[in-house]
């Protein structure tokens, strides 16, 4: 199985800050990497697919990059409504696997 | 409105069975691959199973070891997960999720989840 790691596991930032989360796969997954946002008590929401494509309706302050084994998720200007846990997920091979998540809150 | 509604969760004793359902509306259910994803309390997301649009292709996470069965009824716009020989570690919120039409690995619509608690 492909193992996904994320760092950091949690972070605190101020409104307006740039936030970056990294995700690493245990083997080359080309660009078969998605990012989700999950708010407490809610279902996850797809933000980025295929490493860098913004899902319809998602604000442009969210972005993703990377390929192979190393990926980055960025919020260019953190907003209060962005408080959530963010997960990366690979779909290069079954079983699909998620990273452990990064919890983002406001400083 | 495109929507998935999960149901069927509850409290069950170890070794028991439960059947989860997911009702789809607002889109052509029969055209999409569907999935189950679970989340244990305080834990991260775990993909459980996928079923292709015509049920031709089915996949499971290895750890289930044949205890769970995914199925669908395209005539009734419904997805199911039959869970047998349940264990305490199966305790989780179970979400159904739709795969993107252009990207089977991206889950673009999610159900609200149904809680399964395995406890004596």
């Amino acid at each position: 199985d492909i193992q996904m790691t994320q760092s950091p596991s949690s972070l605190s930032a101020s409104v307006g800050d740039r936030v970056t989360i990294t995700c690493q796969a245990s083997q080359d997954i080309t660009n078969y990497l998605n990012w989700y946002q999950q708010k407490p008590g809610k279902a996850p929401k797809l933000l980025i697919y295929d490493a860098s494509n913004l899902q319809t309706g998602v604000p442009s302050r969210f972005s993703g990059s990377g390929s192979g084994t190393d990926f980055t998720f960025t919020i260019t200007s953190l907003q209060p409504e962005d408080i959530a846990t963010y997960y990366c997920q690979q779909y290069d091979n079954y079983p699909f696997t998620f990273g452990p998540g990064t919890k983002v809150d406001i400083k | 409105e495109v929507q998935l509604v999960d149901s069927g969760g509850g409290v069950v004793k170890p070794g028991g069975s439960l059947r989860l359902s997911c009702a789809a509306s607002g889109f052509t259910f029969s055209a999409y691959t569907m999935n189950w994803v679970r989340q244990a309390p305080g834990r991260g997301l775990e993909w459980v199973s996928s079923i292709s649009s015509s049920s031709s292709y089915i996949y499971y996470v290895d750890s289930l070891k044949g205890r769970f069965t995914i199925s669908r009824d395209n005539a009734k716009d419904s997805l199911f997960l039959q869970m047998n020989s349940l264990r305490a570690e199966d305790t989780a919120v179970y979400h159904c999720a739709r795969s993107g039409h252009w990207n089977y690995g991206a889950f673009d619509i999610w159900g609200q989840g149904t809680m399964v608690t395995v406890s004596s």
Side-chain angles (χ1 to χ4, degrees), chain A residues 62-76:
Chain A
F62 296 101
S63 65
S65 64
S67 66
T69 61
D70 296 301
F71 301 87
T72 300
F73 173 81
T74 300
I75 307 173
T76 53

Side-chain angles (χ1 to χ4, degrees), chain A residues 2-21:
Chain A
I2 297 174
Q3 308 302 317
M4 307 299 293
T5 57
Q6 284 181 239
S7 62
S9 57
S10 65
L11 65 90
S12 291
S14 299
V15 172
D17 281 355
R18 182 184 185 92
V19 169
T20 299
I21 298 168

Side-chain angles (χ1 to χ4, degrees), chain A residues 1 34 36 38 41-46 49-50 55 87 89 91-92 94-100, chain B residues 35 37 39 43-47 50 59-62 95 102-108 110-112:
Chain A
D1 298 359
N34 305 313
Y36 298 86
Q38 187 179 31
K42 300 294 186 181
K45 176 185 177 182
L46 177 66
Y49 64 93
D50 293 348
Q55 175 70 351
Y87 295 92
Q89 173 240 333
Y91 69 101
D92 180 67
Y94 287 102
F96 297 159
T97 46
F98 290 87
Chain B
N35 311 272
V37 177
Q39 186 169 33
R43 304 293 296 274
L45 300 168
E46 180 183 31
W47 171 83
S50 294
Y59 302 91
Y60 298 97
V61 65
D62 292 344
H95 297 272
W102 28 258
N103 180 333
Y104 67 93
F107 307 148
D108 64 349
W110 293 67
Q112 85 286 0

Side-chain angles (χ1 to χ4, degrees), chain B residues 6-116:
Chain B
D6 301 312
S7 62
V11 180
V12 61
K13 289 181 167 53
S17 297
L18 215 52
R19 189 190 195 212
L20 305 184
S21 299
C22 170
S25 60
F27 65 98
T28 305
F29 178 74
S30 60
Y32 289 83
T33 290
M34 296 296 296
N35 311 272
W36 287 100
V37 177
R38 68 183 180 181
Q39 186 169 33
R43 304 293 296 274
L45 300 168
E46 180 183 31
W47 171 83
V48 171
S49 182
S50 294
I51 184 168
S52 63
S53 57
S54 61
S55 304
S56 298
Y57 300 96
I58 290 174
Y59 302 91
Y60 298 97
V61 65
D62 292 344
S63 62
L64 295 181
K65 294 185 179 178
R67 297 186 296 119
F68 289 13
T69 303
I70 192 172
S71 63
R72 64 191 295 161
D73 184 340
N74 286 343
K76 296 183 177 179
D77 293 342
S78 295
L79 175 72
F80 306 101
L81 186 67
Q82 177 67 42
M83 304 187 298
N84 298 329
S85 302
L86 283 161
R87 305 168 179 170
E89 55 265 35
D90 296 319
T91 294
V93 174
Y94 286 73
H95 297 272
C96 65
R98 187 184 80 172
S99 287
H101 201 248
W102 28 258
N103 180 333
Y104 67 93
F107 307 148
D108 64 349
I109 303 295
W110 293 67
Q112 85 286 0
T114 185
M115 182 71 204
V116 172

